[in-house]
Amino acid sequence: MTARAQIGVTGLAVMGRNLARNFARHGYTVAVHNRSYGKTQSLIEEAGDEGDFVPSESMADFVASLERPRKVVIMVKAGAATDAVIDELLPLLEDGDIVVDAGNAHFPDTIRREEALRERGLHFVGTGVSGGEEGALLGPSIMPGGTRESYESLGPILEAISAKVDGTPCCTYVGPGGAGHFVKMVHNGIEYADMQLIAEAYDLLKRGLGATAAEIGQIFAEWNTGDLESFLIEITADVLQHVDAETGSAFVDIVLDQAEQKGTGRWTVQNGLDLGVPITGIAEATFARALSGGVPQREAARGTLPAHATDLQVTDRAAFIEDVRQALYASKVVAYSQGFDQIAAASAEHGWDVDRGAMARIWRGGCIIRARFLNRITEAYERDQQLPLLLADEYFTDAVGNGLPAWRRVVAQAAAAGIPAPAFSSSLAYYDGVRADRLPAALIQAQRDFFGAHTYRRTDREGTFHTLWSGDRTEQEA
Ligand code: NBP
């Protein structure tokens, strides 16, 4: 077996197959392998003429067909399958070889694998890949972690196959260890929030205007020409205008209203709790999906729980649509601001040094949350690399501030009308919380000290204190 392939892909289900084709279409000689040989054969039969593939039936031949330092991309089911493939690869690899896990690994697994492979003299690059099947073939957004050294040889290949926006690749080095998969996880969390916010906007428009799905689809299409321009708004317009062939009804009206969640939203929320970062937009979005899927609870409540709500009265349709648009934009900025806080917190905790502006840049194309306003986020972090809060950047302070009256109106109207808008309203509550001069957390600290002697700090002098609540209520320095 001549070692002539520049990169190899093992795991040739939809994602790996398309990634391999993408490498080949960009002129790379690609070694391909799959546990069961059938997928390798079908790739060669169906797409073999798209470029230079080197198929192998055994892992040993696959590894032997790669130029050194070898670059092996693993694209198998995340979890145990990834460990199984790594175990099979390990005895075949040599110092300096690069193993890329491009599946949807949970970042703690990536940290563990990176440490284990580093001890064996290998580079392990946990890489977020976003964009699904189509992205993998035509250009995904790629978020590689691992060592910077590995990026020197791997980076140009990944950049070549990534999506491009204004000629700039949607791929950059994210940071060491699990940084790549972490950033991908937060990306998915933000995607949850974005989708929930869009769904809430749709619901408000539907109930407020009494409009059909197709009419609302047209509103989204119009929004897609402005600040909200994004893949998700674009497909929303499309989905809402789609008609079910069987019934002739609007497609969205015949889809069961129970949303699923595959895990990355949950991981993001769990990690937000671990880090103590209030990612309320992502959490509300994840819980809203869980609520929709809580069938027994919904059945028990439907028709039983009183609403005491007043109908949403819309007198000026255009003004209402504009209010909802502004509320959507402002809530979306909050969700992104929170997601970037989470990245900053993890980066500080793990010493990853993630450049948040660069993350916004590589999300502009190829991925599900690609959007025009990501440019504004990159600019904000270029103005101040250490920006403590995206909302506090001058551009976003203005953009959100201008929409604030509309945002408040929409949240108030939704509450009065009994329309659930958890992501809109919790984002507004976060906004008001983070900008508050003083929060009722002071009372919570006092309560904690009362029942648990948890101590408190004072506004007027340094130190930590405890009041003898069950004694003479004098204060002691703790
Ligand atoms: P799947 O997640 O369906 O996995 C199927 C592949 O894993 C097949 O190649 C299968 O080999 C292989 N595999 C399994 Br299962 N167990 C194995 C084992 N013990 N040893 C070796 N190979 C094993 O494939 P996919 O849908 O193409 O997704 C691949 C990765 O990409 C996953 O991590 C997934 O989460 C991620 N993904 C990402 C996106 C995105 O938008 N970024 C979308 C979809 C998936 P076989 O053919 O022999 O059974």
Side-chain angles (χ1 to χ4, degrees):
M1 178 69 65
T2 322
R4 64 182 194 87
Q6 290 143 307
I7 191 143
V9 179
T10 179
L12 300 174
V14 282
M15 291 295 292
R17 172 194 168 93
N18 280 356
L19 213 53
R21 290 171 65 195
N22 191 349
F23 284 125
R25 288 174 174 195
H26 280 85
Y28 295 104
T29 299
V30 192
V32 284
H33 170 267
N34 192 67
R35 176 177 64 174
S36 47
Y37 194 46
K39 285 198 178 73
T40 314
Q41 285 171 311
S42 82
L43 166 63
I44 299 304
E45 274 160 29
E46 290 159 29
D49 59 354
E50 289 180 8
D52 189 13
F53 295 97
V54 187
S56 292
E57 189 162 0
S58 75
M59 189 66 101
D61 282 351
F62 168 70
V63 169
S65 71
L66 285 157
E67 282 177 356
R68 302 235 20 230
R70 302 182 182 91
K71 297 173 197 67
V72 180
V73 177
I74 303 174
M75 202 37 147
V76 299
K77 196 172 168 63
T82 308
D83 284 317
V85 174
I86 292 172
D87 288 346
E88 206 182 340
L89 275 168
L90 274 184
L92 304 168
L93 297 175
E94 293 166 272
D95 268 11
D97 286 349
I98 303 170
V99 178
V100 182
D101 174 16
N104 269 342
H106 195 195
F107 78 96
D109 287 337
T110 304
I111 292 175
R112 167 178 62 79
R113 290 169 183 146
E114 199 273 331
E115 283 170 0
L117 267 69
R118 186 154 24 99
E119 277 174 22
R120 303 283 295 265
L122 301 169
H123 297 280
F124 183 76
V125 180
T127 300
V129 178
S130 176
E133 207 178 314
E134 191 181 301
L137 181 63
L138 303 175
S141 171
I142 310 181
M143 296 152 250
T147 56
R148 197 174 271 284
E149 188 190 340
S150 63
Y151 195 79
E152 277 167 28
S153 58
L154 181 69
I157 305 180
L158 297 182
E159 288 181 16
I161 65 147
S162 72
K164 311 284 180 307
V165 174
D166 304 331
T168 306
C170 293
C171 171
T172 193
Y173 176 62
V174 175
H181 275 136
F182 184 89
V183 164
K184 169 66 177 11
M185 178 191 77
V186 176
H187 162 285
N188 284 27
I190 291 174
E191 176 185 312
Y192 270 55
D194 215 337
M195 290 169 70
Q196 174 66 23
L197 290 167
I198 288 173
E200 290 177 19
Y202 151 73
D203 201 25
L204 282 157
L205 292 173
K206 181 179 165 184
R207 302 219 220 170
L209 303 174
T212 64
E215 286 163 351
I216 302 168
Q218 280 159 16
I219 295 170
F220 275 93
E222 173 62 31
W223 287 355
N224 200 40
T225 61
D227 286 345
L228 281 171
E229 182 191 322
S230 62
F231 172 71
L232 282 171
I233 295 281
E234 181 190 327
I235 65 160
T236 302
D238 217 351
V239 166
L240 289 174
Q241 293 180 78
H242 182 62
V243 173
D244 176 48
E246 200 180 313
T247 58
S249 305
F251 174 73
V252 70
D253 292 337
I254 56 102
V255 175
L256 193 69
D257 61 345
Q258 294 166 17
E260 293 176 13
Q261 48 125 353
K262 275 205 288 187
T264 37
R266 188 176 68 230
W267 289 345
T268 317
V269 178
Q270 285 169 338
N271 174 262
L273 292 173
D274 289 343
L275 293 171
V277 178
I279 45 165
T280 58
I282 300 170
E284 287 298 350
T286 309
F287 287 135
R289 290 194 190 190
L291 187 153
S292 76
V295 177
Q297 290 80 8
R298 288 182 66 191
E299 276 175 8
R302 189 180 294 127
T304 308
L305 303 190
H308 292 304
T310 47
D311 277 351
L312 187 52
Q313 302 284 350
V314 174
T315 44
D316 184 338
R317 292 171 72 86
F320 180 71
I321 294 169
E322 178 57 12
D323 274 5
V324 175
R325 189 189 71 80
Q326 294 199 13
L328 174 57
Y329 184 82
S331 305
K332 181 173 157 134
V333 174
V334 166
Y336 279 72
S337 183
Q338 294 175 338
F340 280 100
D341 276 355
Q342 186 174 11
I343 292 174
S347 179
E349 176 158 311
H350 296 280
W352 287 336
D353 197 21
V354 177
D355 175 348
R356 291 169 293 173
M359 297 307 103
R361 192 174 64 239
I362 64 170
W363 290 346
R364 289 182 310 161
C367 66
I368 307 298
I369 62 171
R370 58 185 183 263
R372 181 203 280 202
F373 102 126
L374 287 164
N375 279 321
R376 305 280 90 80
I377 297 183
T378 303
E379 287 160 12
Y381 287 117
E382 277 168 3
R383 275 190 284 278
D384 179 0
Q385 283 254 336
Q386 305 307 323
L387 188 64
L389 178 76
L390 186 63
L391 283 163
D393 169 73
E394 60 196 33
Y395 174 82
F396 287 111
T397 303
D398 279 356
V400 173
N402 293 339
L404 207 48
W407 195 9
R408 293 196 190 287
R409 271 194 300 273
V410 168
V411 169
Q413 283 173 309
I419 300 172
F424 271 28
S425 51
S426 77
S427 299
L428 181 57
Y430 171 87
Y431 178 89
D432 283 328
V434 78
R435 67 169 193 84
D437 277 342
R438 193 156 163 78
L439 289 168
L443 176 58
I444 289 168
Q445 284 299 84
Q447 291 166 329
R448 293 178 71 239
D449 190 59
F450 189 106
F451 64 71
H454 290 297
T455 74
Y456 52 90
R457 285 176 293 148
R458 299 180 57 102
T459 56
D460 53 358
R461 60 180 194 273
E462 290 295 311
T464 308
F465 303 93
H466 168 56
T467 290
L468 297 172
W469 293 101
S470 48
D472 63 1
R473 302 210 165 180
T474 54
E475 184 175 79
Q476 296 183 327
E477 185 132 16

Coordinates of all heavy atoms in Angstrom, one line a residue, residues 10-17 34-37 39 74-82 84-85 88 101-105 129-133 184 262 368, ligand 1:
T10 N -12.6 7.9 8.3 CA -13.2 6.6 8.7 C -14.6 6.9 9.3 O -14.7 7.8 10.2 CB -12.3 5.8 9.6 OG1 -13.0 4.6 9.9 CG2 -11.9 6.5 10.9
G11 N -15.5 6.2 8.8 CA -16.9 6.4 9.2 C -17.6 7.1 8.0 O -17.5 8.3 7.9
L12 N -18.3 6.3 7.2 CA -18.8 6.8 5.9 C -20.3 6.8 5.9 O -20.9 6.5 4.8 CB -18.2 6.1 4.7 CG -16.6 6.1 4.7 CD1 -16.1 5.2 3.5 CD2 -16.2 7.6 4.4
A13 N -21.0 7.1 7.0 CA -22.4 7.3 6.9 C -22.6 8.7 6.3 O -21.7 9.2 5.8 CB -23.0 7.2 8.3
V14 N -23.8 9.2 6.4 CA -24.0 10.5 5.6 C -23.0 11.6 5.8 O -22.5 12.2 4.8 CB -25.4 11.1 5.9 CG1 -26.5 10.4 5.2 CG2 -25.7 11.2 7.4
M15 N -22.6 11.8 7.1 CA -21.7 12.9 7.3 C -20.3 12.6 6.8 O -19.7 13.5 6.1 CB -21.6 13.2 8.8 CG -22.9 13.8 9.4 SD -23.3 15.4 8.8 CE -22.0 16.4 9.5
G16 N -19.7 11.5 7.1 CA -18.4 11.1 6.7 C -18.2 11.0 5.2 O -17.2 11.5 4.6
R17 N -19.2 10.4 4.6 CA -19.2 10.3 3.2 C -19.2 11.7 2.5 O -18.4 11.9 1.6 CB -20.5 9.5 2.8 CG -20.9 9.4 1.4 CD -22.3 9.0 1.3 NE -22.8 9.1 -0.1 CZ -22.8 8.1 -1.0 NH1 -22.3 6.9 -0.6 NH2 -23.2 8.3 -2.2
N34 N -14.6 2.4 6.3 CA -15.8 2.3 7.2 C -15.8 0.9 7.8 O -15.3 -0.1 7.2 CB -17.1 2.4 6.3 CG -18.3 2.6 7.2 OD1 -18.5 3.6 7.9 ND2 -19.2 1.6 7.2
R35 N -16.3 0.8 9.0 CA -16.3 -0.5 9.7 C -16.9 -1.6 8.8 O -16.2 -2.7 8.6 CB -17.2 -0.5 11.0 CG -17.3 -1.8 11.7 CD -18.1 -1.6 13.0 NE -19.5 -1.1 12.8 CZ -20.4 -1.0 13.8 NH1 -20.0 -1.3 15.0 NH2 -21.6 -0.6 13.5
S36 N -18.0 -1.4 8.2 CA -18.6 -2.4 7.3 C -18.2 -1.9 5.9 O -18.5 -0.7 5.5 CB -20.1 -2.6 7.4 OG -20.7 -1.3 7.5
Y37 N -17.7 -2.7 5.0 CA -17.1 -2.3 3.8 C -18.1 -1.8 2.8 O -17.8 -1.0 1.9 CB -16.3 -3.5 3.2 CG -15.3 -3.1 2.1 CD1 -14.5 -1.9 2.2 CD2 -15.3 -3.8 0.9 CE1 -13.7 -1.6 1.1 CE2 -14.4 -3.4 -0.2 CZ -13.6 -2.3 0.0 OH -12.8 -1.9 -1.0
K39 N -20.4 0.5 2.8 CA -20.5 1.9 2.7 C -19.3 2.5 1.9 O -19.4 3.5 1.2 CB -20.6 2.6 4.1 CG -21.9 2.4 4.8 CD -22.1 3.5 5.9 CE -23.4 3.4 6.6 NZ -23.6 2.2 7.5
I74 N -12.2 11.0 12.1 CA -13.2 10.0 12.5 C -14.6 10.6 12.5 O -14.8 11.7 13.0 CB -12.9 9.6 14.0 CG1 -11.5 9.0 14.1 CG2 -14.0 8.5 14.5 CD1 -11.1 8.7 15.6
M75 N -15.5 10.0 11.7 CA -16.9 10.5 11.6 C -17.9 9.4 11.9 O -18.6 9.0 11.0 CB -17.0 11.1 10.2 CG -18.1 12.2 10.0 SD -18.3 13.3 11.4 CE -18.7 14.8 10.6
V76 N -17.8 8.9 13.1 CA -18.7 7.8 13.5 C -19.7 8.3 14.6 O -19.6 9.5 15.1 CB -18.0 6.6 14.0 CG1 -17.1 6.0 12.9 CG2 -17.2 6.9 15.3
K77 N -20.6 7.5 15.0 CA -21.6 7.8 16.0 C -20.8 8.2 17.3 O -19.9 7.6 17.7 CB -22.4 6.6 16.3 CG -23.7 6.8 17.0 CD -24.4 5.4 17.1 CE -25.6 5.4 18.0 NZ -26.6 6.4 17.7
A78 N -21.2 9.4 17.8 CA -20.5 9.9 19.0 C -20.7 9.0 20.2 O -21.7 8.3 20.3 CB -21.1 11.3 19.3
G79 N -19.6 8.9 21.0 CA -19.7 8.1 22.2 C -18.8 6.9 22.1 O -17.6 7.0 21.7
A80 N -19.4 5.7 22.5 CA -18.5 4.5 22.5 C -17.9 4.1 21.2 O -16.8 3.6 21.1 CB -19.4 3.3 23.0
A81 N -18.6 4.4 20.1 CA -18.1 4.1 18.7 C -16.8 4.9 18.5 O -15.8 4.3 17.9 CB -19.1 4.4 17.6
T82 N -16.7 6.1 18.9 CA -15.5 6.9 18.7 C -14.4 6.3 19.5 O -13.3 6.2 19.0 CB -15.8 8.4 19.2 OG1 -17.0 8.9 18.6 CG2 -14.6 9.3 18.9
A84 N -14.1 3.2 20.3 CA -13.7 1.9 19.7 C -12.8 2.2 18.5 O -11.8 1.5 18.3 CB -15.0 1.2 19.2
V85 N -13.1 3.2 17.7 CA -12.3 3.5 16.5 C -10.9 4.0 17.0 O -9.9 3.6 16.4 CB -13.0 4.6 15.6 CG1 -12.1 5.0 14.5 CG2 -14.3 4.0 15.1
E88 N -8.8 1.1 17.9 CA -8.3 0.4 16.8 C -7.2 1.1 16.0 O -6.3 0.5 15.5 CB -9.6 0.2 15.8 CG -9.4 -1.1 14.9 CD -10.6 -1.2 14.0 OE1 -11.7 -0.6 14.2 OE2 -10.4 -1.9 13.0
D101 N -11.5 14.1 15.6 CA -12.9 13.6 15.8 C -13.8 14.7 15.4 O -14.0 15.7 16.1 CB -13.1 13.3 17.3 CG -14.5 12.9 17.6 OD1 -15.3 12.6 16.6 OD2 -14.9 12.9 18.8
A102 N -14.5 14.4 14.3 CA -15.4 15.4 13.7 C -16.9 15.2 14.1 O -17.8 15.8 13.6 CB -15.2 15.5 12.2
G103 N -17.1 14.2 14.9 CA -18.5 13.9 15.3 C -18.9 14.8 16.4 O -18.2 15.7 16.8
N104 N -20.1 14.6 16.9 CA -20.7 15.5 17.9 C -20.4 15.0 19.3 O -21.2 14.7 20.1 CB -22.2 15.5 17.8 CG -22.7 16.6 16.8 OD1 -21.9 17.6 16.6 ND2 -23.9 16.5 16.4
A105 N -19.1 15.0 19.6 CA -18.7 14.5 21.0 C -19.0 15.5 22.0 O -19.1 16.7 21.8 CB -17.2 14.3 21.0
V129 N -18.3 20.3 13.8 CA -18.6 20.5 12.4 C -20.1 20.8 12.4 O -20.9 20.0 12.9 CB -18.3 19.2 11.6 CG1 -18.8 19.4 10.1 CG2 -16.9 18.9 11.6
S130 N -20.5 22.0 11.8 CA -21.9 22.3 11.8 C -22.3 22.5 10.3 O -21.6 22.9 9.5 CB -22.1 23.6 12.5 OG -23.5 24.0 12.4
G131 N -23.6 22.2 10.1 CA -24.1 22.4 8.8 C -24.8 21.1 8.3 O -25.4 21.2 7.1
G132 N -24.8 20.1 9.1 CA -25.5 18.9 8.7 C -24.9 18.3 7.4 O -23.8 18.6 7.0
E133 N -25.7 17.4 6.8 CA -25.3 16.7 5.6 C -24.9 17.5 4.5 O -23.8 17.3 3.8 CB -26.6 15.9 5.3 CG -26.5 14.7 4.6 CD -27.9 14.1 4.4 OE1 -28.8 14.0 5.2 OE2 -28.1 13.7 3.2
K184 N -18.8 24.2 19.6 CA -19.9 23.6 18.8 C -21.1 23.4 19.7 O -22.2 23.6 19.2 CB -19.4 22.3 18.2 CG -20.5 21.5 17.5 CD -21.0 22.2 16.3 CE -22.1 21.5 15.5 NZ -22.7 20.3 15.9
K262 N -32.1 16.5 21.0 CA -31.2 15.4 20.9 C -30.1 15.4 21.9 O -29.3 14.4 22.0 CB -30.6 15.3 19.5 CG -31.5 14.6 18.5 CD -30.7 14.0 17.3 CE -30.2 15.1 16.4 NZ -29.6 14.6 15.2
I368 N -26.1 26.3 11.0 CA -27.5 26.6 11.1 C -27.8 28.0 11.6 O -28.8 28.6 11.3 CB -28.1 25.6 12.1 CG1 -27.8 24.1 11.7 CG2 -29.6 25.8 12.2 CD1 -28.3 23.7 10.3
Ligands
NBP1 P1 -24.0 8.0 12.6 O1 -24.0 8.8 13.8 O2 -25.3 7.4 12.2 O3 -23.0 6.8 12.8 C1 -22.9 5.8 11.8 C2 -21.4 5.5 11.5 O4 -20.8 5.1 12.8 C3 -21.2 4.4 10.6 O5 -20.1 4.7 9.7 C4 -21.0 3.2 11.5 O6 -20.3 2.1 10.8 C5 -20.1 3.8 12.5 N1 -20.0 3.0 13.7 C6 -20.8 2.7 14.7 BR1 -22.6 3.2 14.7 N2 -20.3 2.0 15.7 C7 -19.1 1.8 15.3 C8 -18.0 1.1 15.9 N3 -18.1 0.5 17.1 N4 -16.8 1.1 15.3 C9 -16.7 1.7 14.1 N5 -17.6 2.4 13.5 C10 -18.8 2.4 14.1 O7 -23.4 8.7 11.3 P2 -23.7 10.2 10.8 O8 -25.1 10.5 10.9 O9 -23.0 10.3 9.5 O10 -22.9 11.1 11.9 C11 -21.5 11.0 12.2 C12 -21.2 12.0 13.3 O11 -21.5 13.3 12.9 C13 -21.9 11.7 14.6 O12 -21.1 12.0 15.7 C14 -23.0 12.7 14.6 O13 -23.5 13.1 15.8 C15 -22.4 13.9 13.8 N6 -23.4 14.6 13.0 C16 -23.3 15.9 12.9 C17 -24.2 16.6 12.2 C18 -23.9 18.0 12.0 O14 -24.7 18.7 11.5 N7 -22.7 18.4 12.3 C19 -25.3 16.0 11.6 C20 -25.4 14.7 11.8 C21 -24.5 14.0 12.5 P3 -21.2 1.0 10.1 O15 -21.6 1.5 8.8 O16 -20.2 -0.2 10.0 O17 -22.4 0.7 11.0

